[in-house]
Amino acid sequence: NAMDARNFAGALEELRRAELAIEIKDDIDWMGLPQRVAQLREEAERSYDEQQRAAQAEQSAQLVEQLRRENDRINAERRARFESLIQEAQLAFQNRQFERSQGFAQRALDLEPQNPIAYEMLNAATKAARETANEDYLRTRALAIRRMIEADAELKIPQTNVLVLDAETWQRANRRADQ
């Protein structure tokens, strides 16, 4: 019997054929068989529906578990990438490569926009880059101005055919060259 084997789809098919045979051969006294076949068909339909719902529930549970595992894997990869970017940003910062540190921190912040560590790293690298740029600018400008002053001072020195330097003037010139 198909219903005993839990093959409700097969049982439904057999019961429908039985109902059709009973309808076609209406000259036979089937006694209570038509009612019994109808009752079994309804029971088979209910069991088939329950079996289908259970199969769908199991399939849904498997899909949910598969999606959960995939989501966990993606989150773990994203977290590992984030940690790597933060470490790279910190290393670049320690090596005074502030623009590079900014780039790493920004990419980490893109991965985790609400992360306070990435935000602070980006701010620190940005401020350090700005201060370094200001220091470099000031250093460059001070050197340029010093050279202009020295050039102006050289113009004020009278030129003679023979230039004789004493030790003190020679030492002062060497100190300027070292600066």
Side-chain angles (χ1 to χ4, degrees), residues 66-163:
Q66 181 182 359
L67 288 173
R68 186 195 60 75
R69 283 193 309 265
E70 180 67 15
N71 192 35
D72 288 349
R73 184 189 62 77
I74 289 170
N75 285 338
E77 286 176 0
R78 183 180 17 237
R79 187 69 187 160
R81 180 73 179 133
F82 173 82
E83 295 293 333
S84 173
L85 288 168
I86 289 296
Q87 287 175 358
E88 289 290 332
Q90 185 179 14
L91 183 62
F93 190 88
Q94 288 173 349
N95 291 330
R96 300 185 58 80
Q97 298 172 335
F98 301 121
E99 289 181 15
R100 185 173 173 167
S101 178
Q102 281 178 293
F104 287 129
Q106 181 61 56
R107 289 182 12 222
L109 200 56
D110 291 344
L111 286 176
E112 291 190 23
Q114 302 300 319
N115 190 288
I117 295 171
Y119 181 76
E120 286 302 317
M121 180 59 73
L122 180 61
N123 281 341
T126 301
K127 287 177 184 176
R130 192 178 314 125
E131 289 175 13
T132 300
N134 288 342
E135 287 176 19
D136 289 345
Y137 173 76
L138 292 174
R139 194 177 306 115
T140 302
R141 290 304 299 153
L143 183 60
I145 291 170
R146 188 177 84 215
R147 285 184 180 151
M148 288 172 58
I149 291 171
E150 288 175 357
D152 186 52
E154 284 180 17
L155 289 176
K156 293 179 184 176
I157 297 175
Q159 300 294 321
T160 60
N161 290 341
V162 179
L163 184 60

Side-chain angles (χ1 to χ4, degrees), residues 22-23 25-38:
I22 290 171
E23 279 183 42
K25 298 183 180 184
D26 60 356
D27 57 340
I28 300 176
D29 181 17
W30 296 99
M31 294 195 265
L33 191 59
Q35 292 83 5
R36 180 69 180 137
V37 168

Side-chain angles (χ1 to χ4, degrees), residues 5-16:
R6 310 221 16 105
N7 178 4
F8 298 114
L12 279 171
E13 186 61 35
E14 288 177 20
L15 290 168
R16 284 188 186 121

